[in-house]
Amino acid sequence: MKKFDVKSFVAGTIIGTLGITTAFAATGIPSATLSQTTITLNGGALPLNLPLISVTMDDGQNEDLYAPATELLEKLGYSVHYDSGTNTVNINPGSRHEVIGDNVSEGNAVIHLANHANQANIAESGSFQAEDNQTLTLNITSDIKGGSVDLFLFDPNGKEQRITIGSANLAKEIPLEKGIWQYNCSGAFKDGGNIEIVGTIK
């Protein structure tokens, strides 16, 4: 079994936030390859959209495994934001959801997103497991101004649905098929406001 270095998850923040090329140039990494290693949590698979990377350092004899820390931490319930002005990665604990196996769970909620206080933007992503004949109900509350937010849903086959959100509340029902669904939510609203997106399965 390939050696796994827990501290590489921390270093993975650099890769997940700043980009692989920048990290490699700064640390002297002669080789790196995509890894097929699987991450599990409490015995269940933890699917990630971005791949893991196996890295050999200039002075290292063993490969270290780097993970896309932004995505990983968000699945564990943290929020991760990069401040380009101060060149700082901010990690904050969250209480909105818990990851259990392939599912993000809060009762039957599989999506729960909101902008952070005093931030006129949102950038979140994740995934959830669905079964045949289930329905995703989205309840969106929004009073954002000076921009819009796009919520992208990807079915298990990769087909995209796009929902554009402005300064009005919105409710929408989406029929689901069995498999892992992925979502990405991003947007900026320069004149302020707040947005919250809750998706429940039934």
Side-chain angles (χ1 to χ4, degrees):
M1 182 179 293
K2 184 177 294 185
K3 177 185 176 185
F4 173 74
D5 187 352
V6 175
K7 68 178 180 293
S8 66
F9 274 93
V10 178
T13 302
I14 299 173
I15 291 178
T17 306
L18 302 181
I20 295 173
T21 304
T22 302
F24 285 5
T27 56
I29 298 175
S31 66
T33 57
L34 298 180
S35 173
Q36 299 301 315
T37 302
T38 298
I39 293 180
T40 65
L41 179 66
N42 297 328
L46 185 64
L48 298 175
N49 297 324
L50 299 174
L52 277 66
I53 299 173
S54 182
V55 173
T56 302
M57 298 288 199
D58 276 338
D59 56 355
Q61 297 181 354
N62 297 309
E63 294 181 349
D64 287 329
L65 190 63
Y66 282 67
T70 297
E71 183 182 4
L72 180 64
L73 288 168
E74 286 175 349
K75 283 183 176 289
L76 295 175
Y78 292 85
S79 64
V80 183
H81 296 278
Y82 174 61
D83 186 336
S84 59
T86 60
N87 194 28
T88 302
V89 177
N90 299 307
I91 301 173
N92 298 301
S95 58
R96 291 179 303 193
H97 56 254
E98 176 186 2
V99 177
I100 304 175
D102 289 345
N103 298 293
V104 182
S105 148
E106 185 182 25
N108 62 339
V110 293
I111 300 175
H112 193 172
L113 311 174
N115 64 299
H116 295 270
N118 302 317
Q119 289 188 334
N121 68 288
I122 186 170
E124 303 283 350
S125 63
S127 63
F128 60 89
Q129 176 74 42
E131 301 298 329
D132 283 329
N133 302 317
Q134 289 186 316
T135 300
L136 175 68
T137 300
L138 291 171
N139 287 295
I140 301 167
T141 55
S142 173
D143 61 1
I144 61 174
K145 299 175 179 66
S148 63
V149 169
D150 288 317
L151 174 64
F152 294 92
L153 288 172
F154 301 91
D155 71 15
N157 299 311
K159 184 179 178 181
E160 171 191 302
Q161 296 184 54
R162 177 178 179 177
I163 301 168
T164 299
I165 305 163
S167 58
N169 296 343
L170 177 67
K172 190 174 182 66
E173 290 192 346
I174 298 170
L176 302 175
E177 60 183 89
K178 184 175 182 178
I180 295 177
W181 288 67
Q182 299 180 29
Y183 60 86
N184 183 287
C185 179
S186 62
F189 28 99
K190 64 181 180 179
D191 295 330
N194 292 286
I195 184 170
E196 183 177 31
I197 303 169
V198 178
T200 57
I201 284 182
K202 61 181 180 180

